[in-house]
Amino acid sequence: MRLLVCGGAGFIGSNFVRIRVREFGDEVTVLDKLTYAGRRENLHDVAGEIRFVAGAIEDPIAVADAVTGCEAIVNFAAETHVDRSIAGPEAFLITNMQGTHVLLEAARERSLRYLQVSTDEVYGSIEEGSFTETSPLAPSSPYSATKTGADLLVSSYFHTYGLETVICRGSNSYGPYQYPEKLIPLMILNAFAGDRLPVYGDGRNVRNWLFVEDFGRGIGHVLAHGVPGEVYNCGGPDECENLTVVKRILELTGALESLIEYVTDRLGHDRRYSLSSQKLRALGWEAQVRFEAGLERTVNWYRDNERWWQPIRSGAYRDYYERHYSRALKG
Ligand code: NAD
Ligand code: TYD
């Protein structure tokens, strides 16, 4: 298939591109703005096999250039970090909502299949049980609210214009190439360095962990087999409290438990996410990697790939933050 993968230089997007090129022989064009989270290095091993366009999804000219010759659009491009969205929501509105609109228009003009990568966070928090695709949408943060807005816009293009859209909502993902602002890679790198591990609140919040390759394959499955207009949840096989995740990382890295530091809780912090993936399983997808094994693989990858994370830890990306997130930094 000839795919336009937006946000393909980020964490999940780059893992997805690798799978599509290597295992499916797809012809891939990546369109990516290369924010702090998007890096050409994430695609180093497939760079010769893809077309890369540096540009923003909210820029119709860049999108028109990138989409030429493609049969489908897969949209990963997003501002993704909840804490940044609390400190400064504007970038989230532009990329997650306006950008999605530009991509939908490009798909509509050319009658392309369109897959929106979305998140369990659109359903909000759940004390018990799991969300299905028909659960009410109740986002809590500016991040999840903009992802929800985008999902609704995608659905409207199916209902109004008959565009062939599908939405795939994943749970918390982890694995190689994840930017170390998210819980798991941040804790791994802090543990390696002997820095403090900041646990928000009481550390008892629960997340439903999905290995990145399982998510990539789930997205590919929805792209190939999903029914237009439908939503498919793609949840991980295991749920875990944050504190348990952090303690396991301490064991795997040999760091001391005294590094754990309880810090002020995140505003509006969702207590628990949990997805039912029955609908996607009925379509033939199954998660392959249990959390215990996936976490160990992830720790080993960060241990073996210091060249990838060194520039981030050393602050080479601070300039980018200061230019684009100055209000967030002051917040
Ligand atoms: P990420 O932050 O690692 O990567 C996002 C990518 O999008 C980067 O390459 C960035 O440069 C690019 N990007 C940002 N703004 C852009 C713009 N305006 N135009 C073009 N490119 C832009 O994110 P991720 O964790 O890989 O998440 C990818 C998608 O999956 C997002 O849509 C996110 O909402 C969704 N998702 C993530 C998770 C998770 O746990 N990480 C779980 C479920 C769903
Ligand atoms: P995160 O990786 O930011 O993903 P999300 O908020 O989208 O679920 O956070 C995962 C959980 O870890 C969440 O409950 C917040 C918590 N957390 C910490 O306790 N400390 C941290 O430094 C970070 C980044 C997150």
Side-chain angles (χ1 to χ4, degrees), residues 190-191 194-199 243 246-247 250-251 254-262:
N190 282 14
D195 291 343
R196 300 212 163 273
L197 310 188
V199 171
L243 202 51
V246 170
K247 287 188 176 161
L250 288 172
E251 281 169 17
L256 297 173
E257 203 162 317
S258 57
L259 290 177
I260 292 177
E261 182 175 41
Y262 291 92

Side-chain angles (χ1 to χ4, degrees), residues 161-182:
Y161 305 114
L163 185 69
E164 217 182 283
T165 64
V166 276
I167 297 174
C168 185
R169 293 184 180 139
S171 60
N172 278 68
S173 300
Y174 68 101
Y177 301 99
Q178 186 168 32
Y179 193 81
E181 63 184 354
K182 306 280 166 62

Side-chain angles (χ1 to χ4, degrees), residues 114-289:
Y114 181 93
L115 187 148
Q116 177 77 356
V117 179
S118 185
T119 164
D120 56 2
E121 301 191 30
V122 301
Y123 301 115
S125 190
I126 188 166
E127 285 293 322
E128 282 174 19
S130 301
F131 289 120
T132 70
E133 291 79 358
T134 54
S135 298
L137 301 177
S140 323
S141 69
Y143 162 65
S144 53
T146 55
K147 291 297 291 183
T148 308
D151 281 10
L152 293 175
L153 198 61
V154 171
S155 297
S156 81
Y157 270 61
F158 169 74
H159 290 288
T160 309
Y161 305 114
L163 185 69
E164 217 182 283
T165 64
V166 276
I167 297 174
C168 185
R169 293 184 180 139
S171 60
N172 278 68
S173 300
Y174 68 101
Y177 301 99
Q178 186 168 32
Y179 193 81
E181 63 184 354
K182 306 280 166 62
L183 179 74
I184 288 180
L186 178 77
M187 296 297 170
I188 292 172
L189 297 191
N190 282 14
F192 285 163
D195 291 343
R196 300 212 163 273
L197 310 188
V199 171
Y200 298 166
D202 62 4
R204 307 290 301 275
N205 302 67
V206 173
R207 296 294 184 261
N208 182 184
W209 293 102
L210 173 65
F211 193 65
V212 65
E213 289 173 7
D214 278 336
F215 193 14
R217 292 201 170 82
I219 292 163
H221 207 76
V222 172
L223 181 67
H225 305 292
V227 175
E230 293 292 316
V231 175
Y232 296 87
N233 288 344
C234 185
D238 298 292
E239 293 183 14
C240 204
E241 286 185 353
N242 292 341
L243 202 51
T244 309
V245 175
V246 170
K247 287 188 176 161
R248 186 67 192 124
I249 290 171
L250 288 172
E251 281 169 17
L252 288 166
T253 55
L256 297 173
E257 203 162 317
S258 57
L259 290 177
I260 292 177
E261 182 175 41
Y262 291 92
V263 299
T264 309
D265 208 355
R266 173 186 280 173
L267 294 175
H269 196 172
D270 283 335
R271 195 67 176 165
R272 176 171 173 262
Y273 298 140
S274 180
L275 278 186
S276 161
S277 308
Q278 234 173 311
K279 187 173 168 183
L280 186 51
R281 285 218 295 277
L283 208 63
W285 170 87
E286 197 71 58
Q288 303 295 324
V289 183

Side-chain angles (χ1 to χ4, degrees), residues 313-328:
R313 291 284 293 188
S314 71
Y317 282 75
R318 216 158 274 159
D319 280 356
Y320 185 91
Y321 297 148
E322 276 163 17
R323 268 184 282 123
H324 295 267
Y325 299 93
S326 53
R327 209 176 311 175

Side-chain angles (χ1 to χ4, degrees), residues 300-315:
N300 290 340
W301 186 85
Y302 282 90
R303 189 181 282 119
D304 294 342
N305 287 279
E306 186 172 344
R307 276 162 60 109
W308 181 87
W309 53 257
Q310 239 327 308
I312 303 171
R313 291 284 293 188
S314 71

